[in-house]
Amino acid sequence: MKQLVGRPGSGSGLVLRLGQASCAAASIGLMVSASGFATFTAFCYLIASMGLQVLWSFGLACLDIYGLRRKRDLQNPILVSLFVVGDWVTATLSLAAASSSAGIVILYARDMDFCSPQFHLPCGKFQISVALAFLTWALIALSSHVMFWILLTSA
Amino acid sequence: MKQLVGRPGSGSGLVLRLGQASCAAASIGLMVSASGFATFTAFCYLIASMGLQVLWSFGLACLDIYGLRRKRDLQNPILVSLFVVGDWVTATLSLAAASSSAGIVILYARDMDFCSPQFHLPCGKFQISVALAFLTWALIALSSHVMFWILLTSA
């Protein structure tokens, strides 16, 4: 097995998972604190998707801590295949959620100019929340590629 | 190399590529024929992304025809790696485009009820175009997985 940065059961892997979970949690927090988010289906889907991402990444972070403390090798092919599939599914859901929310944010801020002060919409919070969702997706895509690479080189 | 359904240089691969190109082209056609699409950044991005998808899938369909006519084996690892990367990039762009457009369509049809007859918006065309974009994404994701599997089993 390759000793790649971000591999399961390593310090860098743990940092990557905690980064994903904290970005997703921050995205949820900002979106929930923005008034009127519940009228947008896409923003509710963003919260659901980021919630799933927090659960998945936090679960794997706990597994990384277990691997680090007990010095267990978590890189067996069945476990890595499971990580690849899980990362791929959550990455797809995160990208879809971030993109659909970004579509609405761009519609409001750029196409319709609804973000001007007279409309009193919390556009800043929406924008940062969506940016964090894209950052979460980038981190999970990175994890997904590391897992894919481990699977490829161990096949 | 595995003789998988949808592999490059096979009849099923050709059908898959032509399916992707035609779904993407139909999505562009419907979107362009809907009046007022240009006021939405996400719909313009959908057209750009589906345009790239048509070029990529049609190019690979031509390569499949070449492989079938000359009976050439297109499954060498470098070529398959290129297909995996290209499929992955176009799949990501297609999913982002379809999702951002879907976010707006759902906002208009469900959250804001702007699709009622008095607003005269071509919501039906928008919806079918987005559905075709998702179908394109599903087909390119299928291709991407077949290529990934070929790469994995040949590693």
Side-chain angles (χ1 to χ4, degrees), chain A residues 39-42 84 88 91-93 95-97 99-104 106-108 110-112 134 137 141 145 148 151-153 155, chain B residues 39-42 84 88 91-93 95-97 99-104 106-108 110-112 134 137 141 145 148 151-153 155:
Chain A
T39 50
F40 301 91
T41 306
V84 168
W88 190 83
T92 305
L93 293 176
L95 178 62
S99 301
S100 56
S101 301
I104 292 178
I106 291 171
L107 179 79
Y108 269 51
R110 198 168 165 275
D111 304 339
M112 302 291 183
F134 272 112
W137 168 72
H145 278 84
F148 166 64
L151 196 65
L152 204 65
T153 50
Chain B
T39 50
F40 301 91
T41 306
V84 168
W88 190 83
T92 305
L93 293 176
L95 178 62
S99 302
S100 56
S101 301
I104 292 178
I106 290 169
L107 179 80
Y108 270 49
R110 199 168 163 275
D111 303 339
M112 302 290 183
F134 272 112
W137 169 71
H145 278 84
F148 167 64
L151 196 65
L152 203 65
T153 50

Side-chain angles (χ1 to χ4, degrees), chain B residues 62-124:
Chain B
C62 292
L63 205 63
D64 282 342
I65 293 170
Y66 167 82
L68 281 170
R69 291 191 68 155
R70 299 284 177 98
K71 307 221 181 298
R72 290 275 171 91
D73 182 20
L74 297 176
Q75 296 188 50
N76 79 65
I78 296 168
L79 214 55
V80 172
S81 306
L82 187 79
F83 295 159
V84 168
V85 173
D87 278 349
W88 190 83
V89 170
T90 54
T92 305
L93 293 176
S94 295
L95 178 62
S99 302
S100 56
S101 301
I104 292 178
V105 165
I106 290 169
L107 179 80
Y108 270 49
R110 199 168 163 275
D111 303 339
M112 302 290 183
D113 208 19
F114 280 170
C115 286
S116 44
Q118 74 262 34
F119 292 105
H120 303 293
L121 276 170
C123 285

Side-chain angles (χ1 to χ4, degrees), chain A residues 18-37:
Chain A
L18 288 178
Q20 290 158 16
S22 50
C23 279
S27 175
I28 294 173
L30 264 166
M31 191 53 89
V32 168
S33 72
S35 62
F37 79 90

